[in-house]
Amino acid sequence: MKLKSIFNYILVAILAIQLVSCDNKETLESPFGATPAERLDAKQKELNDLLESSEFGWKAVYFTDVTQLGGFTHVFKFEDGKVDMASDFDDDTSVYSSEYSIELGSTTSLLFSTSNRIHLLSDSNNAPTAALRGKGYKGDFQFLYYGQENGEIIFRTNRSFEELRFVKATAADWTNLAKARAMIPNVVGASSRPLFRLLETNDGSKINQFDFTFTPASRYAVANSIVAGSSFSYNVGIAYTATGITVKPAIKVGTQDLTDFVYDANTGSFNATGTGGVTATIRYSNKPLVLTDDYKPLLPGNPTVIYAYIAANLSTAASNSNFTNSLLNAANASLPSTQKINRIQFYFNDGANGSYIAYTFTGGRSAVYHFVKVTEDPVNKTIKLSNDGWSVATPPTFLQAIDNQLLDPNGLYVKKETFKITYSNTIYTFTSASSNFRLTTYAFQ
């Protein structure tokens, strides 16, 4: 073969290889028939069209951190970069307008770009508990778009990557926010109902009970098993609805997950129903589920023990009952403006002084002491305080209502609590065995 012919063959081969390489390059760059920028643009339009497609907008129940916080319901109506929004964060369920945008980054996201109700959850000044000081409700206002499923829009939060779903709203969802707010007193517990509450589950063959405590500020509930030695508990965030509550994570009973509890106005209970006899109920009890011996160190013959309600630190304690707060407020209202009850302090077995209740005040008012005899009811595990004289000839009338509760003939339940308030002192509560009186105190030993 001539040299010229060989050269021509080589040239044709090189050209063929280059053409194949170019074809492969195009295939690698555009496997879906569009450039990455084009795909992002399409995703941006897809999300925006979807947001604007629902007649009554969208609803989202936003649980920001199910390890310590409950859920907050928001409704949104999107159009042309504007969003109308309302929430049940507080009693203001009005609709407010602001701006939103669809952002393009590593993925498409929805950004609430100007302030509105959802920003209340990300405000670090809105801390519901001491543990969340500087963190607020740990909320977000930018949500990463992850597609659709069964008519719902799937997002993940930008900071914590938690899933959040938007479901199509109804006209009623906008007005139900106020009804959900009206449910709060029922969840907190009416002052006309017993103080003690429990979660009771039934898997169709066995009933289990759990001591139930709800913290309104964080919308969080803890239910601990009453079985001795058991550490099992349900820790759930609560979201209010027009008919009851929703919990997250679900209450698992047997193999079933229960999330929606309906309020029964007659009994004050919240009921969730599964199948095959599976149920879960939050209800009231006339006495503690677990009767403790926490009162025994207060009985005669033991060393001195001291407990104190200190208004500066404990007046807002969630463990004080509404009834107790009302009695304290009424007593303070009867005093001059410069004087208030600042301590109710219990001394047990204080040497020659015996046992007594010390009432002290601000504004220079002298302390008042009520001496008491201490006995026990070993069956109901209560401590009973009875009159043994006062330090003044005439006991102050403004203290009478509070003092009557502390000297309840049916006794007081004394409980060593597991939580702390401000300081490291152990918390003890004193609860009437026959009324809704419960006072929170620090232990000083």
Side-chain angles (χ1 to χ4, degrees):
M1 184 179 291
K2 295 182 179 180
L3 181 61
K4 183 178 180 179
S5 297
I6 295 172
F7 178 79
N8 287 337
Y9 278 119
I10 293 172
L11 182 60
V12 169
I14 291 173
L15 289 173
I17 292 170
Q18 288 179 335
L19 287 172
V20 172
S21 176
C22 288
D23 288 343
N24 287 342
K25 184 176 181 181
E26 286 297 320
T27 302
L28 289 173
E29 287 181 348
S30 304
F32 304 106
T35 67
E38 289 170 337
R39 291 197 301 276
L40 284 173
D41 287 342
K43 207 73 172 175
Q44 182 183 39
K45 184 178 186 305
E46 174 188 305
L47 176 56
N48 196 69
D49 289 348
L50 189 56
L51 290 172
E52 294 184 353
S53 67
S54 178
E55 179 182 3
F56 299 106
W58 299 88
K59 180 178 77 170
V61 183
Y62 187 10
F63 287 84
T64 57
D65 181 354
V66 294
T67 67
Q68 56 186 322
L69 290 165
F72 298 82
T73 301
H74 292 73
V75 283
F76 314 94
K77 187 72 170 69
F78 299 90
E79 186 174 5
D80 296 331
K82 302 290 184 183
V83 57
D84 291 335
M85 185 188 311
S87 82
D88 70 348
F89 179 85
D90 53 28
D91 285 335
D92 184 359
T93 58
S94 303
V95 179
Y96 292 90
S97 294
S98 59
E99 297 178 355
Y100 77 94
S101 60
I102 307 300
E103 297 295 308
L104 299 178
S106 58
T107 187
T108 306
S109 65
L110 167 64
L111 173 66
F112 293 100
S113 47
T114 58
S115 181
N116 207 320
R117 303 296 290 168
I118 202 163
H119 291 80
L120 294 169
L121 298 179
S122 60
D123 187 344
S124 60
N125 294 319
N126 279 340
T129 64
L132 290 169
R133 192 168 293 130
K135 300 178 182 178
Y137 286 86
K138 301 183 70 175
D140 211 333
F141 50 85
Q142 184 170 12
F143 305 100
L144 312 178
Y145 176 49
Y146 275 78
Q148 309 171 51
E149 184 178 75
N150 300 323
E152 301 176 353
I153 309 176
I154 305 171
F155 292 101
R156 287 192 177 275
T157 57
N158 187 48
R159 296 175 183 172
S160 58
F161 210 61
E162 295 293 326
E163 184 177 274
L164 177 66
R165 294 192 174 219
F166 282 21
V167 300
K168 284 188 175 181
T170 64
D173 285 327
W174 294 84
T175 57
N176 280 346
L177 292 173
K179 294 178 181 178
R181 293 290 304 177
M183 186 61 61
I184 296 176
N186 302 323
V187 183
V188 172
S191 57
S192 59
R193 307 275 189 188
L195 283 178
F196 307 105
R197 302 175 87 181
L198 67 147
L199 168 66
E200 186 172 88
T201 63
N202 185 343
D203 65 6
S205 61
K206 182 181 179 182
I207 293 175
N208 290 299
Q209 293 183 328
F210 304 81
D211 192 11
F212 181 86
T213 303
F214 174 66
T215 305
S218 58
R219 301 190 181 186
Y220 203 72
V222 175
N224 296 313
S225 173
I226 67 170
V227 176
S230 173
S231 60
F232 185 81
S233 67
Y234 292 107
N235 302 328
V236 296
I238 285 178
Y240 309 120
T241 71
T243 58
I245 59 174
T246 295
V247 303
K248 188 176 181 180
I251 301 291
K252 194 173 189 65
V253 183
T255 60
Q256 298 181 41
D257 290 336
L258 304 180
T259 58
D260 297 320
F261 288 72
V262 178
Y263 178 62
D264 181 345
N266 292 324
T267 63
S269 63
F270 289 82
N271 305 302
T273 304
T275 59
V278 170
T279 61
T281 300
I282 300 166
R283 64 178 180 83
Y284 289 95
S285 171
N286 289 319
K287 65 179 183 179
L289 294 183
V290 179
L291 298 177
T292 73
D293 290 331
D294 294 342
Y295 71 94
K296 285 190 175 292
L298 287 61
L299 296 175
N302 288 304
T304 302
V305 288
I306 304 169
Y307 308 89
Y309 163 80
I310 302 175
N313 304 110
L314 300 177
S315 62
T316 58
S319 44
N320 291 333
S321 66
N322 291 334
F323 180 46
T324 298
N325 290 334
S326 69
L327 295 183
L328 288 166
N329 291 337
N332 286 327
S334 300
L335 292 168
S337 60
T338 59
Q339 297 177 1
K340 294 289 183 289
I341 298 172
N342 67 351
R343 287 195 182 214
I344 300 176
Q345 195 147 315
F346 302 85
Y347 293 81
F348 294 95
N349 308 311
D350 187 26
N353 295 315
S355 298
Y356 56 94
I357 306 168
Y359 298 95
T360 64
F361 310 90
T362 60
R365 189 183 186 95
S366 299
V368 177
Y369 303 91
H370 190 178
F371 298 95
V372 295
K373 294 179 180 178
V374 181
T375 56
E376 71 171 316
D377 178 344
V379 175
N380 294 306
K381 293 186 180 289
T382 62
I383 189 171
K384 295 184 177 182
L385 310 181
S386 58
N387 177 46
D388 198 27
W390 289 76
S391 62
V392 291
T394 304
T397 56
F398 68 87
L399 289 177
Q400 182 176 351
I402 296 172
D403 198 74
N404 286 345
Q405 296 299 319
L406 296 176
L407 272 67
D408 182 347
N410 290 314
L412 299 171
Y413 296 109
V414 179
K415 184 181 179 183
K416 180 182 180 180
E417 305 289 357
T418 58
F419 56 85
K420 307 289 184 183
I421 300 177
T422 306
Y423 300 109
S424 60
N425 298 63
T426 301
I427 296 291
Y428 278 75
T429 52
F430 290 76
T431 305
S432 169
S434 59
S435 77
N436 282 353
F437 182 89
R438 181 170 58 214
L439 186 68
T440 307
T441 68
Y442 289 121
F444 287 94
Q445 56 271 337

